[in-house]
């Protein structure tokens, strides 16, 4: 009898899993059909290169909550703290929601931040897993993206930039949901927004 | 036979000559700006001169008529079509519809355009927006001098324009022609620059903050330098307050091009 129940449970969970993946694929298809909203960053057509050297379009991230920050890897002042802020946010998001949230670091120094360099930076900072995505493009696209995020930056010497310290949260449709400005600031609202938006993801 | 060949060669030579002359000159309605350097009033840590490479700049800001031609070719930049990510609601607000600028003068500068639209316009002409440094470098020239920023008259002219309303309804090319042969850098409309969002006036850059306090505190007498700083401060503060989707009636743009 016990075995039978176990078998029944297993098969239910198995069916459950199957239907879940099917459902996920269905929702992906549905998503692709659904028009991109006017305020979505998925209106930006450009390609970006990841720390693994693969090219992606932003809209491939559709369906996930995005937590984004603009940094450069040779930065010694604000960036380590921004990276720490990102990590603190990631730590506070429950594990069961982790496949619905993507943490993204966008380089404002594409000349120096090659995919190899981003990869090394990811490893150094123990961010070399699927949760973390490092992106770089060219100067022009980076400037455009910073304009979308309302992040200001300026090269002040060959190796240094001034930049605003803004962490942005986008909902699964790529619409800006919340921005946290400053270093080491209270991240409660940021996390609340992430949780709220992640729970909406099917 | 030989004469014919010679003629062909002659013809080619003349053609080549023609081509090289065309390349040496700036394209129609663009002025060549020679390389140089200037000390910006904001944004550098050390107050060292910033180098500007030689480039081409539109002689006039882009007009309503020119922008209409662009919208006809790129309907997605029409006032009803543009995505909110790229322009706020006041985009081309005085245009009655997508393909008509209404009562605006065709030769007046186009305004109520977002940074995204301005950038796209320039790209579609094979050009780009001028960088902030390029703009300031050209904008500091008066009729005769490359750098007129220390001249009281020049600063008074700029500041008196800042106080005027609705100069955007004037036609392009009616202000002074500057040293480089460029019109309307001051006196008509404010202009988008490529890296308008490279400004830090909120205290993120300590040096800028110092400059701000220098401006507001302890300025016992008003001399040319104060006026110059004030005029530049107005421009930088305005740029610093912008977001790329913003549009206002006194903000237009012109395009630039790098020289290879």
């Amino acid at each position: 009898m016990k075995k039978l129940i176990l078998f029944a449970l297993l098969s239910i969970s198995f069916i459950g899993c199957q239907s879940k993946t099917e459902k996920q694929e269905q929702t992906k298809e549905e998503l692709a059909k659904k028009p991109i909203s006017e305020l979505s960053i998925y209106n930006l057509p450009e390609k970006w290169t990841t720390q693994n050297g693969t090219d992606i379009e932003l809209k491939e991230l559709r369906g996930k909550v995005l937590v984004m920050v603009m940094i450069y890897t040779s930065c010694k002042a604000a960036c380590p703290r921004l990276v720490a802020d990102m990590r603190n946010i990631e730590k506070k998001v429950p594990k069961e929601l982790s496949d619905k949230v993507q943490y993204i670091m966008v380089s404002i120094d594409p000349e120096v931040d090659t995919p190899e360099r981003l990869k090394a930076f990811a490893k150094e900072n123990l961010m070399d897993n699927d949760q973390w995505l490092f992106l770089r493009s060219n100067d022009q696209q980076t400037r455009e993206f910073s304009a979308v995020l309302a992040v200001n930056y300026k090269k002040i010497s060959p190796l240094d930039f001034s930049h605003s310290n803004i962490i942005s949260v986008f909902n699964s449709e790529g619409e800006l949901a919340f921005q946290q400005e400053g270093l080491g600031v209270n991240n409660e609202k940021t996390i609340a927004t992430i949780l709220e938006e992640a729970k909406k993801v099917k | 036979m030989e004469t014919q060949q010679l003629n062909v060669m002659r013809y080619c030579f003349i053609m080549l000559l023609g081509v090289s002359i065309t390349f040496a000159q700036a394209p129609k309605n663009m002025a060549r700006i020679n390389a140089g350097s200037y000390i910006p009033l904001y944004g550098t840590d050390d107050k060292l001169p910033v180098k500007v490479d030689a480039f081409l700049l539109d002689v006039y800001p882009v007009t309503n008529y020119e922008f209409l031609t662009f919208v006809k070719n790129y309907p997605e930049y029409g006032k009803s079509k543009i995505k909110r990510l790229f322009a706020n609601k006041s985009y081309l607000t005085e245009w009655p519809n997508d393909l008509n600028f209404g009562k605006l003068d065709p030769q007046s500068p186009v305004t109520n355009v977002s940074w995204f639209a301005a950038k796209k316009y320039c790209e579609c002409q094979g050009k780009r927006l001028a960088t902030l440094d390029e703009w300031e470098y050209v904008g500091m020239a008066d009729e005769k001098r490359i750098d007129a920023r220390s001249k009281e008259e020049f600063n008074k002219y700029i500041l008196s324009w800042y106080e005027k309303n609705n100069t955007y309804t004037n036609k392009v090319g009616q202000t002074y022609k500057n040293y480089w042969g460029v019109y309307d850098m001051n006196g008509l409309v404010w202009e988008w620059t490529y890296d308008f969002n490279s400004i830090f006036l909120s205290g993120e850059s300590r040096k800028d903050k110092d400059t701000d306090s220098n401006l507001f505190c302890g300025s016992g007498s008003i001399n040319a330098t104060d006026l110059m700083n004030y005029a530049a401060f107005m421009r930088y503060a305005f740029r610093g307050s912008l977001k790329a989707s913003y549009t206002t009636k006194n903000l237009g743009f012109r395009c630039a091009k790098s020289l290879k």
Side-chain angles (χ1 to χ4, degrees), chain B residues 42-68:
Chain B
Y42 288 97
T44 49
D45 265 1
D46 34 26
K47 294 278 163 212
L48 288 176
V50 170
K51 266 194 185 169
V52 177
D53 290 334
F55 68 104
L56 299 172
L57 186 66
D58 283 354
V59 171
Y60 310 107
V62 173
T63 62
N64 286 311
Y65 179 79
E66 289 167 327
F67 201 77
L68 176 63

Side-chain angles (χ1 to χ4, degrees), chain B residues 117-188:
Chain B
K119 180 168 162 285
K120 181 73 180 181
Y121 176 97
C122 294
E123 282 167 9
C124 292
Q125 320 287 318
K127 302 179 189 174
R128 59 176 174 78
L129 286 171
T131 65
L132 200 152
D133 282 328
E134 286 171 341
W135 198 99
E136 287 288 319
Y137 179 66
V138 178
M140 71 186 185
D142 66 3
E143 291 96 325
K144 295 206 173 92
R145 304 173 198 86
I146 290 179
D147 186 355
R149 291 181 298 174
S150 60
K151 302 290 167 217
E152 195 172 341
E153 280 309 304
F154 182 66
N155 289 302
K156 278 189 174 161
Y157 168 77
I158 296 175
L159 287 172
S160 73
W161 165 52
Y162 289 170
E163 287 167 8
K164 277 182 204 139
N165 290 322
N166 299 341
T167 50
Y168 74 99
T169 57
N170 299 344
K171 290 185 198 321
V172 301
Q174 295 191 327
T175 67
Y176 66 97
K177 179 182 185 177
N178 82 4
Y179 175 88
W180 304 107
V182 172
Y183 287 87
D184 305 327
M185 294 301 281
N186 298 293
L188 187 65

Side-chain angles (χ1 to χ4, degrees), chain A residues 37-41 43-44 139-140 143-144 146-148 150-154 156 162-165 181, chain B residues 43-45 82-86 115-116 119 123 133 194-200 204-205 240 243-244:
Chain A
S37 88
E38 290 219 352
L39 282 170
S40 170
I41 50 166
N43 287 303
L44 299 167
D139 178 66
Q140 209 250 17
R143 182 58 71 185
E144 182 168 85
S146 74
V148 171
V151 166
N152 286 18
Y153 72 93
K154 182 185 174 69
I156 47 174
S162 317
H163 60 104
S164 356
N165 302 308
E181 195 167 355
Chain B
T44 49
D45 265 1
I82 195 161
K83 302 247 163 66
R84 278 292 154 264
L85 184 71
F86 300 130
W115 178 83
F116 292 106
K119 180 168 162 285
E123 282 167 9
D133 282 328
Y194 172 70
D195 50 348
F196 77 96
N197 65 344
S198 62
I199 292 176
F200 297 89
E204 285 184 84
S205 161
K243 286 191 174 160

Side-chain angles (χ1 to χ4, degrees), chain B residues 6-249:
Chain B
L6 201 70
N7 274 342
V8 169
M9 276 176 69
R10 257 188 210 154
Y11 180 68
C12 284
F13 178 72
I14 292 166
M15 282 277 285
L16 276 174
L17 200 73
V19 167
S20 58
I21 286 171
T22 326
F23 271 108
Q25 282 174 346
K28 197 176 162 247
N29 285 341
M30 289 192 99
R32 187 195 152 96
I33 313 299
N34 292 334
S37 65
Y38 84 112
I39 298 174
L41 293 157
Y42 288 97
T44 49
D45 265 1
D46 34 26
K47 294 278 163 212
L48 288 176
V50 170
K51 266 194 185 169
V52 177
D53 290 334
F55 68 104
L56 299 172
L57 186 66
D58 283 354
V59 171
Y60 310 107
V62 173
T63 62
N64 286 311
Y65 179 79
E66 289 167 327
F67 201 77
L68 176 63
T69 312
F70 161 73
V71 175
K72 282 178 181 166
N73 291 326
Y74 299 88
E76 67 270 30
Y77 285 84
K79 103 179 233 172
S80 73
K81 306 267 169 53
I82 195 161
K83 302 247 163 66
R84 278 292 154 264
L85 184 71
F86 300 130
N88 68 9
K89 277 186 184 164
S90 59
Y91 178 70
L92 299 178
T93 186
E94 293 188 38
W95 293 34
N97 60 51
D98 281 7
L99 296 177
N100 184 354
F101 49 75
K103 287 177 189 150
L104 296 171
D105 191 311
Q107 292 311 313
S108 292
V110 65
T111 60
N112 280 117
V113 284
S114 66
W115 178 83
F116 292 106
K119 180 168 162 285
K120 181 73 180 181
Y121 176 97
C122 294
E123 282 167 9
C124 292
Q125 320 287 318
K127 302 179 189 174
R128 59 176 174 78
L129 286 171
T131 65
L132 200 152
D133 282 328
E134 286 171 341
W135 198 99
E136 287 288 319
Y137 179 66
V138 178
M140 71 186 185
D142 66 3
E143 291 96 325
K144 295 206 173 92
R145 304 173 198 86
I146 290 179
D147 186 355
R149 291 181 298 174
S150 60
K151 302 290 167 217
E152 195 172 341
E153 280 309 304
F154 182 66
N155 289 302
K156 278 189 174 161
Y157 168 77
I158 296 175
L159 287 172
S160 73
W161 165 52
Y162 289 170
E163 287 167 8
K164 277 182 204 139
N165 290 322
N166 299 341
T167 50
Y168 74 99
T169 57
N170 299 344
K171 290 185 198 321
V172 301
Q174 295 191 327
T175 67
Y176 66 97
K177 179 182 185 177
N178 82 4
Y179 175 88
W180 304 107
V182 172
Y183 287 87
D184 305 327
M185 294 301 281
N186 298 293
L188 187 65
V189 283
W190 303 73
E191 295 180 14
W192 281 111
T193 58
Y194 172 70
D195 50 348
F196 77 96
N197 65 344
S198 62
I199 292 176
F200 297 89
L201 284 181
S202 54
E204 285 184 84
S205 161
R206 257 173 287 140
K207 210 66 191 176
D208 285 348
K209 206 179 169 187
D210 286 352
T211 322
D212 289 354
S213 57
N214 283 345
L215 266 174
F216 295 120
C217 314
S219 48
S221 64
I222 302 286
N223 57 36
T225 319
D226 292 330
L227 287 177
M228 160 177 107
N229 283 333
Y230 186 62
F233 171 73
M234 295 274 284
R235 277 197 302 283
Y236 278 73
F238 179 64
R239 289 181 188 130
S241 72
L242 288 170
K243 286 191 174 160
S245 62
Y246 283 12
T247 69
T248 76
K249 67 177 183 180

